[in-house]
Amino acid sequence: MSAICLDISDLSAVLPNGQRVLRSVSLAVQPGEVRALVGESGAGKTMIGKAVLGVLPSSVRVVAGDIRLEGEDLGKLPPKARRTLIGARTALIPQDPLTALNPSRRIGSQMTDRLVRILGWNGQKADTRIRQLLDEVQIRDPERVLKSYPHELSGGMRQRVLIAAAFAAEPRLIVADEPTTALDVTVQKQILRLIVQLQREHGTAILFVTHDLGVVAKISQKVSVLYAGKVVEEADTAALFAAPQHPYTRALMAATPRYTDPFASLKPVDEAVLAGLASEIAAADQAWKRPHG
Amino acid sequence: MDEGRTPRRGISPRLWLAGGWLMLALLAAIFAPLVAPQDPLAQDLMLERLPPFWMNGAEPGYWLGTDSLGRDLLSRLIFGGRIAFIVAFAAAIAACMVGSTLGLVAGYFGGWADRIISRIVDVWMAFPPVLFAILLVAVLGTGLSSVILAIAIIDWTRFCRVIRAETMGQSRMDYVENARIAGYGRIGIMLREVLPNVVPSIVALLSLEMGIAVIVEAILSFVNLSISTDDPTWGGIIAEGRLSIHQAWWVLVFPLITLILTVLSFSQFGEALKTRFDPVLR
Ligand SMILES: Nc1ncnc2c1ncn2[C@@H]1O[C@H](COP(=O)(O)OP(=O)(O)OP(=O)(O)O)[C@@H](O)[C@H]1O
Ligand SMILES: [Mg+2]
């Protein structure tokens, strides 16, 4: 099947006060591809992920555009069918592995439950599958982990569990929302490597949200640069790093510290660049207002 | 890479003491006819106002002394425990069922459901509880079931408020969002994901509420609005003791001690249980 895995086109979402948080976002992820979504805090990266997964906050309303998951227009499906489709084809690797696990349920039951209840597997098959995935994320003592409560594991272990859970149901698309930000620096690299490894083996497409260009360079094939809910640049990762087109992208790159010399190139984004962005956003909003009243 | 398991605490002394007293009082109440040394209703004017066992003039078999009608105080306390515990369990469970359900629904679904339920709770809590109870019993008529009903009608709001707040906090957690992404239904998430996380609070409140029900029942029988006048109740004994405080202080003091110990034990027991039920605190 050659359908685009995820196809977001012209997606706009507003807050109750009418302010747009997503400004005509278009973004496509091919099957098996890693698409990085990069931008500073508040740019709307998480919002895009939530829109795809169907869990936007109730205060945020999608007013235009559509999201297609393997060709199915999510907005046109009845709610129940949409939930089932999203549940079967997508998964989330969250930012905070502690709150993403239910504190009062054992890891094992949380992980198998989903396969049993959503995909209708029998308990035996689900259990085998979960153990296989725990092995893939290099958890050495699955017996103990399955019996543990989330607070009994370290942050890194919890994130491994969540990665295993995300891949267990063989989703076509995984949204990874800053999956390493809440972790120790030492653990971050391992987790990143695991995600890439499982992604390759399973051929899963990933929408990878981050604000770290270093991570973008390492793991993604394509990048979208987001600013104030607007995609300001989109390119192949290699091309973007070789020749960034948009001034904001260039400024972001300049602001990213190198590993060798973390403090040398830490610069704030240039005033002129920000002013340029502001007028670009204003023009986009003007253009959008005309047909949308 | 792993933090070790947090060592599990054994049963705390608090749980032992509170649980021990409650178990003792409960067993005594259940097996009252076997345990009570005397008939709690038997009057004997020859034996009136006997002091407790360590004082001069005490009679064997009347360990805590007798009241002004010569009835054995210990036996009356034991039999009084029957009504106290029946009211405590029945009223607390009823209040808990109603309050926790509404609290869970309000906290999880928010919106209109929350607004309506919260408004009802606000209005309800505007009534002073004891006055409310007296009023209700006056309307419902005296008797065991109306006392239970009155307490449940008044105190479900305590459960509703606390459980609503806890549920709201839990509903904002990422694991709830994860469950929605996975495709679980709303009610399934409420019952299977959120409810287990508020159970420790429900248990603690339930135990606390049992203590409160014991007090309310005592107050109602103190003002003579509770059960039939024949069966001894702790509140009734306190009321009688108050009249003879100068001649026989024990008739007032022992039921008060019994009442306070029971109420404190219920609240302590609840707190201790909460920490045991909570996987994070445990
Ligand atoms: N529940 C909400 N209701 C209304 N507005 C929100 C809500 N959550 C976030 N926003 C706003 O939407 C915008 C985008 O937020 P979002 O969380 O998507 O940013 P982000 O790019 O993920 O940032 P970060 O890197 O900090 O996670 C922000 O301006 C934020 O203030
Ligand atoms: Mg975010």
Side-chain angles (χ1 to χ4, degrees), chain B residues 32-62:
Chain B
L34 304 175
V35 179
Q38 311 290 338
D39 176 353
L41 301 178
Q43 305 183 9
D44 188 340
L45 294 182
M46 303 300 290
L47 295 171
E48 67 178 45
R49 292 184 194 131
L50 290 177
F53 67 91
W54 69 85
M55 287 171 64
N56 276 339
E59 287 278 342
Y62 297 85

mmCIF file of all heavy atoms in Angstrom, chain B residues 32-62:
data_model
loop_
_atom_site.group_PDB
_atom_site.id
_atom_site.type_symbol
_atom_site.label_atom_id
_atom_site.label_comp_id
_atom_site.label_asym_id
_atom_site.label_seq_id
_atom_site.Cartn_x
_atom_site.Cartn_y
_atom_site.Cartn_z
ATOM 1 N N ALA B 32 -22.562 -9.834 71.655
ATOM 2 C CA ALA B 32 -22.991 -9.183 72.888
ATOM 3 C C ALA B 32 -23.712 -10.133 73.858
ATOM 4 O O ALA B 32 -23.380 -10.164 75.046
ATOM 5 C CB ALA B 32 -23.849 -7.964 72.562
ATOM 6 N N PRO B 33 -24.677 -10.927 73.392
ATOM 7 C CA PRO B 33 -25.396 -11.786 74.360
ATOM 8 C C PRO B 33 -24.473 -12.768 75.062
ATOM 9 O O PRO B 33 -24.740 -13.155 76.196
ATOM 10 C CB PRO B 33 -26.405 -12.529 73.484
ATOM 11 C CG PRO B 33 -26.549 -11.696 72.259
ATOM 12 C CD PRO B 33 -25.232 -11.044 72.043
ATOM 13 N N LEU B 34 -23.392 -13.176 74.380
ATOM 14 C CA LEU B 34 -22.456 -14.112 75.005
ATOM 15 C C LEU B 34 -21.450 -13.405 75.888
ATOM 16 O O LEU B 34 -21.007 -13.923 76.897
ATOM 17 C CB LEU B 34 -21.692 -14.898 73.919
ATOM 18 C CG LEU B 34 -22.544 -15.660 72.917
ATOM 19 C CD1 LEU B 34 -21.662 -16.279 71.832
ATOM 20 C CD2 LEU B 34 -23.327 -16.749 73.652
ATOM 21 N N VAL B 35 -21.075 -12.198 75.478
ATOM 22 C CA VAL B 35 -19.959 -11.502 76.125
ATOM 23 C C VAL B 35 -20.421 -10.669 77.314
ATOM 24 O O VAL B 35 -19.742 -10.593 78.327
ATOM 25 C CB VAL B 35 -19.246 -10.595 75.093
ATOM 26 C CG1 VAL B 35 -18.114 -9.843 75.753
ATOM 27 C CG2 VAL B 35 -18.732 -11.426 73.928
ATOM 28 N N ALA B 36 -21.568 -10.033 77.179
ATOM 29 C CA ALA B 36 -22.013 -9.105 78.222
ATOM 30 C C ALA B 36 -22.245 -9.863 79.527
ATOM 31 O O ALA B 36 -22.913 -10.898 79.534
ATOM 32 C CB ALA B 36 -23.291 -8.407 77.780
ATOM 33 N N PRO B 37 -21.652 -9.334 80.621
ATOM 34 C CA PRO B 37 -21.784 -10.058 81.888
ATOM 35 C C PRO B 37 -23.224 -10.053 82.428
ATOM 36 O O PRO B 37 -23.617 -10.954 83.145
ATOM 37 C CB PRO B 37 -20.839 -9.319 82.833
ATOM 38 C CG PRO B 37 -20.523 -8.017 82.172
ATOM 39 C CD PRO B 37 -20.731 -8.195 80.704
ATOM 40 N N GLN B 38 -24.004 -9.024 82.110
ATOM 41 C CA GLN B 38 -25.360 -8.925 82.662
ATOM 42 C C GLN B 38 -26.351 -8.632 81.529
ATOM 43 O O GLN B 38 -25.959 -8.319 80.417
ATOM 44 C CB GLN B 38 -25.452 -7.772 83.687
ATOM 45 C CG GLN B 38 -24.361 -7.759 84.722
ATOM 46 C CD GLN B 38 -24.479 -8.914 85.712
ATOM 47 O OE1 GLN B 38 -25.559 -9.485 85.884
ATOM 48 N NE2 GLN B 38 -23.356 -9.279 86.344
ATOM 49 N N ASP B 39 -27.636 -8.713 81.893
ATOM 50 C CA ASP B 39 -28.667 -8.254 80.982
ATOM 51 C C ASP B 39 -28.649 -6.726 80.998
ATOM 52 O O ASP B 39 -28.800 -6.115 82.061
ATOM 53 C CB ASP B 39 -30.024 -8.778 81.457
ATOM 54 C CG ASP B 39 -31.179 -8.265 80.609
ATOM 55 O OD1 ASP B 39 -30.942 -7.390 79.734
ATOM 56 O OD2 ASP B 39 -32.311 -8.735 80.827
ATOM 57 N N PRO B 40 -28.468 -6.092 79.826
ATOM 58 C CA PRO B 40 -28.306 -4.625 79.820
ATOM 59 C C PRO B 40 -29.571 -3.892 80.243
ATOM 60 O O PRO B 40 -29.528 -2.705 80.565
ATOM 61 C CB PRO B 40 -27.974 -4.331 78.357
ATOM 62 C CG PRO B 40 -28.576 -5.469 77.600
ATOM 63 C CD PRO B 40 -28.427 -6.666 78.483
ATOM 64 N N LEU B 41 -30.703 -4.578 80.229
ATOM 65 C CA LEU B 41 -31.953 -3.889 80.556
ATOM 66 C C LEU B 41 -32.429 -4.188 81.978
ATOM 67 O O LEU B 41 -33.353 -3.541 82.478
ATOM 68 C CB LEU B 41 -33.047 -4.301 79.561
ATOM 69 C CG LEU B 41 -32.736 -4.007 78.092
ATOM 70 C CD1 LEU B 41 -33.859 -4.489 77.196
ATOM 71 C CD2 LEU B 41 -32.487 -2.517 77.890
ATOM 72 N N ALA B 42 -31.790 -5.184 82.612
ATOM 73 C CA ALA B 42 -32.270 -5.599 83.936
ATOM 74 C C ALA B 42 -32.026 -4.510 84.982
ATOM 75 O O ALA B 42 -30.889 -4.123 85.223
ATOM 76 C CB ALA B 42 -31.569 -6.894 84.341
ATOM 77 N N GLN B 43 -33.097 -4.029 85.573
ATOM 78 C CA GLN B 43 -32.952 -3.020 86.614
ATOM 79 C C GLN B 43 -32.959 -3.714 87.965
ATOM 80 O O GLN B 43 -33.612 -4.733 88.154
ATOM 81 C CB GLN B 43 -34.116 -2.033 86.547
ATOM 82 C CG GLN B 43 -34.265 -1.410 85.179
ATOM 83 C CD GLN B 43 -35.376 -0.383 85.137
ATOM 84 O OE1 GLN B 43 -35.947 -0.010 86.163
ATOM 85 N NE2 GLN B 43 -35.671 0.096 83.944
ATOM 86 N N ASP B 44 -32.187 -3.148 88.878
ATOM 87 C CA ASP B 44 -32.184 -3.702 90.228
ATOM 88 C C ASP B 44 -31.863 -2.576 91.184
ATOM 89 O O ASP B 44 -30.740 -2.095 91.250
ATOM 90 C CB ASP B 44 -31.130 -4.810 90.333
ATOM 91 C CG ASP B 44 -31.234 -5.546 91.665
ATOM 92 O OD1 ASP B 44 -31.832 -4.956 92.619
ATOM 93 O OD2 ASP B 44 -30.718 -6.665 91.753
ATOM 94 N N LEU B 45 -32.876 -2.141 91.917
ATOM 95 C CA LEU B 45 -32.674 -0.959 92.759
ATOM 96 C C LEU B 45 -31.700 -1.228 93.903
ATOM 97 O O LEU B 45 -31.142 -0.311 94.479
ATOM 98 C CB LEU B 45 -34.024 -0.485 93.301
ATOM 99 C CG LEU B 45 -34.943 0.030 92.188
ATOM 100 C CD1 LEU B 45 -36.253 0.550 92.754
ATOM 101 C CD2 LEU B 45 -34.250 1.124 91.389
ATOM 102 N N MET B 46 -31.477 -2.514 94.208
ATOM 103 C CA MET B 46 -30.483 -2.836 95.224
ATOM 104 C C MET B 46 -29.069 -2.557 94.731
ATOM 105 O O MET B 46 -28.148 -2.431 95.515
ATOM 106 C CB MET B 46 -30.563 -4.327 95.609
ATOM 107 C CG MET B 46 -31.908 -4.787 96.113
ATOM 108 S SD MET B 46 -32.400 -3.866 97.594
ATOM 109 C CE MET B 46 -31.209 -4.523 98.768
ATOM 110 N N LEU B 47 -28.926 -2.507 93.414
ATOM 111 C CA LEU B 47 -27.574 -2.387 92.854
ATOM 112 C C LEU B 47 -27.330 -1.012 92.230
ATOM 113 O O LEU B 47 -26.414 -0.838 91.454
ATOM 114 C CB LEU B 47 -27.355 -3.471 91.780
ATOM 115 C CG LEU B 47 -27.379 -4.918 92.277
ATOM 116 C CD1 LEU B 47 -27.383 -5.880 91.098
ATOM 117 C CD2 LEU B 47 -26.198 -5.181 93.201
ATOM 118 N N GLU B 48 -28.142 -0.027 92.542
ATOM 119 C CA GLU B 48 -28.009 1.228 91.814
ATOM 120 C C GLU B 48 -26.718 1.953 92.169
ATOM 121 O O GLU B 48 -26.233 1.912 93.285
ATOM 122 C CB GLU B 48 -29.218 2.125 92.066
ATOM 123 C CG GLU B 48 -29.324 2.626 93.482
ATOM 124 C CD GLU B 48 -30.519 3.552 93.638
ATOM 125 O OE1 GLU B 48 -31.599 3.213 93.136
ATOM 126 O OE2 GLU B 48 -30.359 4.611 94.257
ATOM 127 N N ARG B 49 -26.163 2.582 91.130
ATOM 128 C CA ARG B 49 -24.937 3.393 91.240
ATOM 129 C C ARG B 49 -23.782 2.666 91.902
ATOM 130 O O ARG B 49 -23.095 3.217 92.762
ATOM 131 C CB ARG B 49 -25.214 4.695 91.969
ATOM 132 C CG ARG B 49 -26.109 5.596 91.147
ATOM 133 C CD ARG B 49 -26.328 6.932 91.792
ATOM 134 N NE ARG B 49 -27.450 7.609 91.140
ATOM 135 C CZ ARG B 49 -28.464 8.162 91.778
ATOM 136 N NH1 ARG B 49 -28.498 8.150 93.101
ATOM 137 N NH2 ARG B 49 -29.431 8.749 91.119
ATOM 138 N N LEU B 50 -23.576 1.402 91.503
ATOM 139 C CA LEU B 50 -22.371 0.718 91.956
ATOM 140 C C LEU B 50 -21.172 1.337 91.250
ATOM 141 O O LEU B 50 -21.240 1.622 90.060
ATOM 142 C CB LEU B 50 -22.432 -0.765 91.609
ATOM 143 C CG LEU B 50 -23.437 -1.634 92.367
ATOM 144 C CD1 LEU B 50 -23.389 -3.054 91.817
ATOM 145 C CD2 LEU B 50 -23.120 -1.612 93.858
ATOM 146 N N PRO B 51 -20.057 1.558 91.946
ATOM 147 C CA PRO B 51 -18.871 2.145 91.291
ATOM 148 C C PRO B 51 -18.108 1.080 90.499
ATOM 149 O O PRO B 51 -18.356 -0.107 90.687
ATOM 150 C CB PRO B 51 -18.037 2.626 92.476
ATOM 151 C CG PRO B 51 -18.406 1.709 93.587
ATOM 152 C CD PRO B 51 -19.833 1.318 93.377
ATOM 153 N N PRO B 52 -17.172 1.517 89.642
ATOM 154 C CA PRO B 52 -16.351 0.561 88.894
ATOM 155 C C PRO B 52 -15.465 -0.268 89.811
ATOM 156 O O PRO B 52 -15.277 0.072 90.979
ATOM 157 C CB PRO B 52 -15.524 1.444 87.957
ATOM 158 C CG PRO B 52 -15.695 2.835 88.429
ATOM 159 C CD PRO B 52 -16.931 2.908 89.255
ATOM 160 N N PHE B 53 -14.889 -1.347 89.247
ATOM 161 C CA PHE B 53 -14.330 -2.435 90.043
ATOM 162 C C PHE B 53 -13.239 -2.061 91.028
ATOM 163 O O PHE B 53 -13.050 -2.713 92.032
ATOM 164 C CB PHE B 53 -13.833 -3.546 89.113
ATOM 165 C CG PHE B 53 -12.648 -3.153 88.263
ATOM 166 C CD1 PHE B 53 -11.349 -3.365 88.723
ATOM 167 C CD2 PHE B 53 -12.836 -2.575 87.005
ATOM 168 C CE1 PHE B 53 -10.271 -3.012 87.952
ATOM 169 C CE2 PHE B 53 -11.756 -2.214 86.242
ATOM 170 C CZ PHE B 53 -10.457 -2.422 86.707
ATOM 171 N N TRP B 54 -12.503 -0.988 90.758
ATOM 172 C CA TRP B 54 -11.357 -0.716 91.652
ATOM 173 C C TRP B 54 -11.748 0.127 92.861
ATOM 174 O O TRP B 54 -10.935 0.385 93.722
ATOM 175 C CB TRP B 54 -10.236 -0.038 90.868
ATOM 176 C CG TRP B 54 -10.574 1.379 90.428
ATOM 177 C CD1 TRP B 54 -10.431 2.521 91.146
ATOM 178 C CD2 TRP B 54 -11.144 1.761 89.189
ATOM 179 N NE1 TRP B 54 -10.865 3.594 90.445
ATOM 180 C CE2 TRP B 54 -11.302 3.166 89.218
ATOM 181 C CE3 TRP B 54 -11.529 1.054 88.036
ATOM 182 C CZ2 TRP B 54 -11.842 3.872 88.149
ATOM 183 C CZ3 TRP B 54 -12.046 1.780 86.981
ATOM 184 C CH2 TRP B 54 -12.207 3.168 87.026
ATOM 185 N N MET B 55 -13.023 0.577 92.897
ATOM 186 C CA MET B 55 -13.408 1.462 93.996
ATOM 187 C C MET B 55 -14.115 0.685 95.106
ATOM 188 O O MET B 55 -14.596 -0.422 94.911
ATOM 189 C CB MET B 55 -14.333 2.568 93.472
ATOM 190 C CG MET B 55 -13.566 3.588 92.638
ATOM 191 S SD MET B 55 -14.651 4.748 91.802
ATOM 192 C CE MET B 55 -15.410 5.581 93.170
ATOM 193 N N ASN B 56 -14.169 1.304 96.286
ATOM 194 C CA ASN B 56 -14.882 0.695 97.404
ATOM 195 C C ASN B 56 -16.355 0.542 97.073
ATOM 196 O O ASN B 56 -16.956 1.449 96.478
ATOM 197 C CB ASN B 56 -14.765 1.590 98.655
ATOM 198 C CG ASN B 56 -13.464 1.302 99.373
ATOM 199 O OD1 ASN B 56 -12.881 0.231 99.181
ATOM 200 N ND2 ASN B 56 -13.002 2.264 100.164
ATOM 201 N N GLY B 57 -16.918 -0.576 97.433
ATOM 202 C CA GLY B 57 -18.350 -0.795 97.221
ATOM 203 C C GLY B 57 -18.668 -1.418 95.888
ATOM 204 O O GLY B 57 -19.830 -1.585 95.547
ATOM 205 N N ALA B 58 -17.613 -1.748 95.074
ATOM 206 C CA ALA B 58 -17.869 -2.393 93.791
ATOM 207 C C ALA B 58 -18.334 -3.821 94.011
ATOM 208 O O ALA B 58 -17.997 -4.442 95.014
ATOM 209 C CB ALA B 58 -16.609 -2.375 92.945
ATOM 210 N N GLU B 59 -19.144 -4.317 93.076
ATOM 211 C CA GLU B 59 -19.608 -5.711 93.132
ATOM 212 C C GLU B 59 -18.942 -6.484 92.004
ATOM 213 O O GLU B 59 -18.846 -5.969 90.891
ATOM 214 C CB GLU B 59 -21.132 -5.752 92.907
ATOM 215 C CG GLU B 59 -21.957 -5.258 94.069
ATOM 216 C CD GLU B 59 -22.149 -6.340 95.144
ATOM 217 O OE1 GLU B 59 -21.926 -7.527 94.810
ATOM 218 O OE2 GLU B 59 -22.474 -5.985 96.292
ATOM 219 N N PRO B 60 -18.512 -7.705 92.261
ATOM 220 C CA PRO B 60 -17.973 -8.506 91.154
ATOM 221 C C PRO B 60 -19.061 -8.757 90.108
ATOM 222 O O PRO B 60 -20.229 -8.903 90.452
ATOM 223 C CB PRO B 60 -17.549 -9.821 91.830
ATOM 224 C CG PRO B 60 -18.247 -9.844 93.143
ATOM 225 C CD PRO B 60 -18.496 -8.428 93.549
ATOM 226 N N GLY B 61 -18.625 -8.753 88.837
ATOM 227 C CA GLY B 61 -19.595 -8.967 87.752
ATOM 228 C C GLY B 61 -20.156 -7.651 87.216
ATOM 229 O O GLY B 61 -20.813 -7.625 86.195
ATOM 230 N N TYR B 62 -19.891 -6.556 87.929
ATOM 231 C CA TYR B 62 -20.326 -5.242 87.451
ATOM 232 C C TYR B 62 -19.084 -4.374 87.289
ATOM 233 O O TYR B 62 -18.844 -3.462 88.061
ATOM 234 C CB TYR B 62 -21.332 -4.603 88.425
ATOM 235 C CG TYR B 62 -22.611 -5.397 88.544
ATOM 236 C CD1 TYR B 62 -22.701 -6.466 89.444
ATOM 237 C CD2 TYR B 62 -23.719 -5.073 87.755
ATOM 238 C CE1 TYR B 62 -23.868 -7.212 89.540
ATOM 239 C CE2 TYR B 62 -24.889 -5.822 87.856
ATOM 240 C CZ TYR B 62 -24.964 -6.883 88.742
ATOM 241 O OH TYR B 62 -26.111 -7.611 88.826
#
